[in-house]
Amino acid sequence: MRHRLPGRVSAISVVGALSLLLAASGLRAEESNAVRGPLEAGPYSFSDELGGFHIISATGKGSRRDPIVITQELESSSPVTLVIRTIGPLQPFSSSEDAASGFLYMRAVVINNSGQAWVEFEFELQEILGKASVFGDGLSFDQRQSSDDHISSDSFAEFSRDFEPYDRLLLRNGRVDPLKAATFSFLVTDFTPRTQFYLVLDPRIPSS
């Protein structure tokens, strides 16, 4: 089902995005031979170990009032996969910000260093790497609610969610030019929480 977002919320300026990009490039130049470990935020860790992109920062607790903000730089327009692991106690439906409760509020800041404009952007959840999440596994973009209160973007005006035969969130009607950043906010729920799952980021370029 297609939804129109109520408004575009500005989360990062072009200058800020370029500053982050330059800082990340400098960091990688200094650590070109080093393997950077996952970044931790709240009861989770986030890793770019599968390649194709770089995590610059991760902050927050993952709660509604303090979402995890993860800034990433994509160097191409190919799909990449973020590995998410629980490092805190796994306590379903807990109200503690120190526990992985099955409710993860996220804000993804994605810097476009691909050299191509993006005209859509899709997120996909996976419990098993390479296999799309399905309705029955409990992992989704808040499949129990039809409300779009937790979904927003500063770069795209519409979104659609699919829960079967996969869990995907597609943002459209917008554009992210090279060396600019887009911000996406959404809620990930898992009613049978696992210690590890995956979030695929898939930018879309104009069709020829």
Side-chain angles (χ1 to χ4, degrees), residues 39 49 92 121 144:
L39 297 184
E49 65 196 61
F121 204 98
R144 289 194 176 184

Side-chain angles (χ1 to χ4, degrees), residues 171-188:
L171 288 297
R172 59 165 69 90
N173 191 8
R175 183 183 178 95
V176 185
D177 287 321
L179 296 183
K180 292 191 176 181
T183 300
F184 308 91
S185 297
F186 47 84
L187 170 62
V188 175

Side-chain angles (χ1 to χ4, degrees), residues 55-84:
I55 299 175
I56 298 173
S57 65
T59 62
K61 291 284 192 179
S63 64
R64 183 169 187 163
R65 68 180 185 87
D66 187 16
I68 284 176
V69 181
I70 182 163
T71 302
Q72 302 150 96
E73 173 198 351
L74 272 63
E75 297 181 325
S76 75
S77 296
S78 299
V80 298
T81 302
L82 175 68
V83 183
I84 304 174

Side-chain angles (χ1 to χ4, degrees), residues 4-171:
R4 181 168 293 276
L5 292 168
R8 299 185 180 183
V9 180
S10 178
I12 187 168
S13 67
V14 174
V15 174
L18 288 172
S19 298
L20 287 169
L21 183 58
L22 290 172
S25 299
L27 179 63
R28 291 198 304 277
E30 294 174 1
E31 301 180 354
S32 58
N33 296 320
V35 177
R36 190 179 184 189
L39 297 184
E40 298 180 359
Y44 300 93
S45 73
F46 301 86
S47 174
D48 53 18
E49 65 196 61
L50 297 177
F53 72 115
H54 300 278
I55 299 175
I56 298 173
S57 65
T59 62
K61 291 284 192 179
S63 64
R64 183 169 187 163
R65 68 180 185 87
D66 187 16
I68 284 176
V69 181
I70 182 163
T71 302
Q72 302 150 96
E73 173 198 351
L74 272 63
E75 297 181 325
S76 75
S77 296
S78 299
V80 298
T81 302
L82 175 68
V83 183
I84 304 174
R85 298 181 174 95
T86 58
I87 57 173
L90 195 62
Q91 298 176 352
F93 304 100
S94 172
S95 59
S96 171
E97 291 185 341
D98 297 321
S101 65
F103 294 83
L104 173 56
Y105 291 84
M106 291 187 65
R107 185 173 300 141
V109 181
V110 185
I111 300 171
N112 180 0
N113 195 22
S114 71
Q116 299 172 301
W118 299 337
V119 295
E120 293 181 342
F121 204 98
E122 184 177 76
F123 296 90
E124 179 184 292
L125 288 166
Q126 298 179 354
E127 281 200 345
I128 300 170
L129 182 61
K131 183 178 180 180
S133 170
V134 297
F135 187 89
D137 65 13
L139 177 66
S140 73
F141 295 103
D142 197 20
Q143 66 189 24
R144 289 194 176 184
Q145 300 294 329
S146 59
S147 169
D148 58 9
D149 292 346
H150 305 309
I151 300 173
S152 65
S153 174
D154 65 349
S155 301
F156 296 92
E158 296 178 353
F159 77 91
S160 60
R161 286 183 293 176
D162 291 310
F163 302 124
E164 192 70 38
Y166 36 62
D167 282 303
R168 291 177 179 168
L169 172 63
L170 176 64
L171 288 297

